Amino acid sequence: MKLLVIGSGGREHALAWKLLQSSRVMRPITIFVAPGNAGTSLEDGLENLPITAIPELVEFARKESIAFTIVGPEAPLAGGVVDAFRAAGQKIFGPTRQAAQLETSKDFSKAFMTRHGIPTAAYATFDSPAEAHHYLDQQGAPIVIKADGLAGGKGVVVATTLAEAHAAVDAMLVENQLGNAGARVVIEEFLEGEEASFIAMADGRHVLPLATSQDHKRLKDGDQGPNTGGMGAYSPAPVITPKLHARIMREVIHAAMNGMEKEGESYTGFLYAGLMIAPDGGIKVLEFNCRMGDPETEVIMARLKSNLVTLMEHAVNGTLDKVEAEWDRRTALGVVLAAHGYPDSPRKGDVIHGLSELPSMAAPEKDFYVFHAGTALDDENREEIVTAGGRVLCVTALADGVKFAQRRAYEIADQIHFDGCQMRHDIGHWAINKHRK
């Protein structure tokens, strides 16, 4: 069995790493990652595939008799990669272009939730700067401004003042700083509470929930600074109790699946609900994503004990009701090391030191893993790994409890260095504070 993972980030490295642990994949080359990164290039059993064009990916899957393909990031979904693979008779896990609008258009997603009674914040959509500014003056601050389209996790501004809100609208609608993604904006009410990530696998009819997780979007300690794609995560999320888990499945996940079915588009793929959990236990959906989160994938895969190949086979064959996922009882916590200038203008080409000095990755007692995201092999010295993106690495550790997982992750992260490295030092603080209380 040969498999294909589409993407180049830490999410794709983690998925490929977990797939590789199955005894059912072929040797020596088992899993192709397109286009991959330095981590997937150096991992035994993985091979980077330097193509991103959808027709070429379809042809590769056909020629190599790929058993199934997993789509990691959102851009190929928006480009119709699932539609193209299915048209060619190739098995692939992900939503169609139409279904992926749950993520690719904030306006579509909000209207969908409103139509189907899925709890979410009040909102309005604008492409006129004047109308958007007038609405802001009516609503006041704090308030949230979101780019309608895909912006790599950086199209959300939580404005604490009206001045910030007006500046965000101008940046998107007037200055065109986010390009087509910001040609339309969704303005939402500000919600108080604790954020959590709830991710499930869907086969069109059945749903298999994955482990809960929480990520940290803000760049700096104390949840300060600009929003990013995510600076760290941990799993499980203590804020999601068993009772709340059942409510989320009923009021959010199944409601979304049923809503898609009613609109003639059965949903397959990962379904990620970004949630706000209010102090009184109320839930509202901040956003839907049509793929796994990053860095949530890294901590979820670190805890998964089930054979991911088997789960994926059931997912692409429409039989997810026949399996359950088994999880490591320990907590997984991941710390992101980001490049200088991230998120606005990340610098590339800085040499990463310390990776080769870490304990053996193959040690059976290993309680950590370093997942690569924005990395590449240096063009001149192929033994050196350099930064090649905004989020560079995700150091993920397993331990009994958040505090111990946090300590272990930072022990490893502190041994890795590159110029301009940015790293939060409080990943997991929500769970730790909750435990103290």
Side-chain angles (χ1 to χ4, degrees), residues 306-328:
S306 302
N307 187 319
L308 182 59
V309 171
T310 300
L311 296 183
M312 294 304 310
E313 280 189 310
H314 281 282
V316 297
N317 291 327
T319 54
L320 273 177
D321 58 323
K322 306 296 183 185
V323 289
E324 293 183 1
E326 183 182 359
W327 303 99
D328 194 311

Side-chain angles (χ1 to χ4, degrees), residues 102 109-110 112-121 198 200 207 209 240-260 262 271-278 280-288:
L102 274 178
S109 182
K110 296 290 287 189
F112 174 86
M113 286 187 267
T114 301
R115 287 195 300 273
H116 298 287
I118 299 171
T120 189
F198 197 99
V207 176
I240 300 182
T241 62
K243 184 177 179 180
L244 197 56
H245 189 285
R247 278 187 59 204
I248 294 166
M249 285 294 290
R250 181 177 66 253
E251 298 177 16
V252 177
I253 302 300
H254 284 300
M257 291 284 290
N258 293 337
M260 295 298 284
K262 288 177 182 177
L271 182 59
Y272 167 154
L275 304 170
M276 181 65 78
I277 314 297
D280 64 0
I283 55 174
K284 287 191 176 180
V285 178
L286 297 172
E287 63 179 359
F288 277 118

